[in-house]
Amino acid sequence: MPQKKYCVIGYPIRHSLSPRIHNREFKKRGVKGRYRAVEVKPENLAVFMKNFGERFEGGNVTIPHKEKIMRFLEWVSPEARAIGAVNTIVKRVGRGGKAQLCGYNTDVVGCREALRENGVKVLKNKCVLVVGAGGAARAVVYGLTKAGAQVTVANRTLAHAKKLARAFGAYATSLSAFNPSDFDLIINTTSVGMWPHTKESPLPNLVAHLAAHANKLPLVMDIIYRPRLTKFLKDAKKGGCRIITGETMFLAQARASFQLFLSSTSPKTLIR
Ligand code: ATR
């Protein structure tokens, strides 16, 4: 039986943890699959996707292709469509036996799962501050508002925060105009602090803010997973907050992707 091939595409992609995670999972489950990272420059995406379905059973999509990838897929889940980004592709056999490339977004499940693992089981009426208003923020804000949380988007460019907030029924604020203690949960979705810029934080005054309102400390989460402990998380810890690392969410979204990969192929053909 031929080996099922999967990949993660992005640019740059060298440091992706996905191949290690998925190949380990294939091995653990006795699945004949292989997963690799493929660097695809933005200008080469259309050519790369032309025969994707002939070469791969599925894969993951990361920066900067999560939005543009949608035009090369035959079907996109309503959730991924609402977010405007796909991070998982699965080849499925549609009506008439024709293979179709289907797109999903597992970042929503990843975020919710990371919270659940850390004791946040109910999001209804929780006050959440989402820092950032880019592509990653869209999935987080979508998932949180769907779960009934009261979300405020804080962003360097207020207009971007307002636009995102309007799309999903959230509030908007600028980066300097809020009190962290007003929130149950703060999530960073910007890339500020990502390796190699490990000394940066999207909220440089977080420690002082927390010290001034130490009576009510929020739970603090970062979606950056390189480094594991970002400056933002270190500051939150210093201020006495409980933290959730980006690694937790990354692993949770990878598990959800893996489930989708397995669901596309009958266990008989996949599992030895
Ligand atoms: P992604 O798709 O990975 O989320 P993005 O769309 O480029 O990336 O979004 C980056 C987010 O990080 C934006 O919210 C951006 O703020 P602006 O809307 O003002 O551009 C935020 N961001 C990037 N660099 C920042 C910095 N140095 N300080 C604060 N916010 C920053």
Side-chain angles (χ1 to χ4, degrees):
M1 189 190 49
Q3 197 174 45
K4 305 276 175 189
K5 294 197 173 76
Y6 297 84
C7 65
V8 53
I9 63 167
Y11 183 76
I13 199 68
R14 252 182 316 150
H15 299 294
S16 173
L17 285 180
S18 296
R20 212 181 324 152
I21 292 171
H22 288 279
N23 284 323
R24 195 173 53 197
E25 205 60 30
F26 282 137
K27 205 168 165 195
K28 203 169 92 187
R29 291 165 186 250
V31 172
K32 246 186 145 184
R34 182 161 169 263
Y35 186 110
R36 65 192 172 98
V38 184
E39 186 173 273
V40 180
K41 289 187 176 156
E43 61 269 30
N44 297 337
L45 185 63
V47 173
F48 180 82
M49 287 309 292
K50 240 181 188 160
N51 59 354
F52 182 94
E54 287 149 39
R55 291 185 294 153
F56 300 102
E57 295 304 310
N60 290 110
V61 186
T62 186
I63 292 163
H65 304 311
K66 283 184 174 187
E67 290 91 16
K68 296 229 167 62
I69 197 77
M70 287 200 277
R71 70 180 70 152
F72 305 106
L73 307 175
E74 273 93 22
W75 182 87
V76 173
S77 77
E79 192 167 79
R81 204 177 286 279
I83 295 162
V86 158
N87 77 334
T88 305
I89 302 174
V90 178
K91 188 169 82 179
R92 294 188 186 283
V93 179
R95 281 202 198 105
K98 196 177 171 290
Q100 286 188 326
L101 293 182
C102 303
Y104 302 86
N105 190 308
T106 64
D107 287 332
V108 174
V109 180
C111 178
R112 296 265 295 275
E113 202 43 48
L115 290 170
R116 199 169 299 141
E117 282 173 26
N118 283 276
V120 185
K121 301 213 164 61
V122 179
L123 280 160
K124 200 166 163 51
N125 296 328
K126 285 263 173 5
C127 288
V128 186
L129 183 77
V130 173
V131 182
R138 283 185 73 86
V140 171
V141 173
Y142 172 92
L144 293 172
T145 51
K146 272 265 161 197
Q150 286 182 26
V151 179
T152 301
V153 180
N155 195 46
R156 178 177 62 179
T157 310
L158 183 58
H160 296 166
K162 281 185 174 165
K163 193 167 174 223
L164 174 56
R166 214 177 302 129
F168 297 121
Y171 302 98
T173 180
S174 66
L175 274 186
S176 51
F178 60 87
N179 176 358
S181 298
D182 288 341
F183 297 92
D184 301 302
L185 172 65
I186 301 181
I187 305 178
N188 172 44
T189 68
T190 74
S191 51
V192 184
M194 194 186 284
W195 188 89
H197 307 287
T198 53
K199 295 215 158 51
E200 294 171 16
S201 163
L203 301 181
N205 301 323
L206 185 62
V207 180
H209 265 297
L210 292 170
H213 306 276
N215 54 327
K216 188 176 169 278
L217 293 172
L219 174 63
V220 176
M221 170 167 154
D222 205 329
I223 72 163
I224 294 173
Y225 61 86
R226 252 175 75 88
R228 200 175 156 272
L229 266 190
T230 56
K231 168 88 165 57
F232 175 66
L233 289 182
K234 280 183 187 162
D235 285 352
K237 234 177 149 178
K238 215 179 276 172
C241 299
R242 207 154 63 78
I243 59 161
I244 305 177
T245 64
E247 195 180 56
T248 316
M249 172 165 158
F250 183 77
L251 291 174
Q253 66 76 31
R255 275 197 302 274
S257 288
F258 196 84
Q259 284 304 324
L260 285 169
F261 295 156
L262 289 192
S263 72
S264 76
T265 330
S266 82
K268 252 194 192 155
T269 54
L270 251 183
I271 297 172
R272 257 182 290 175

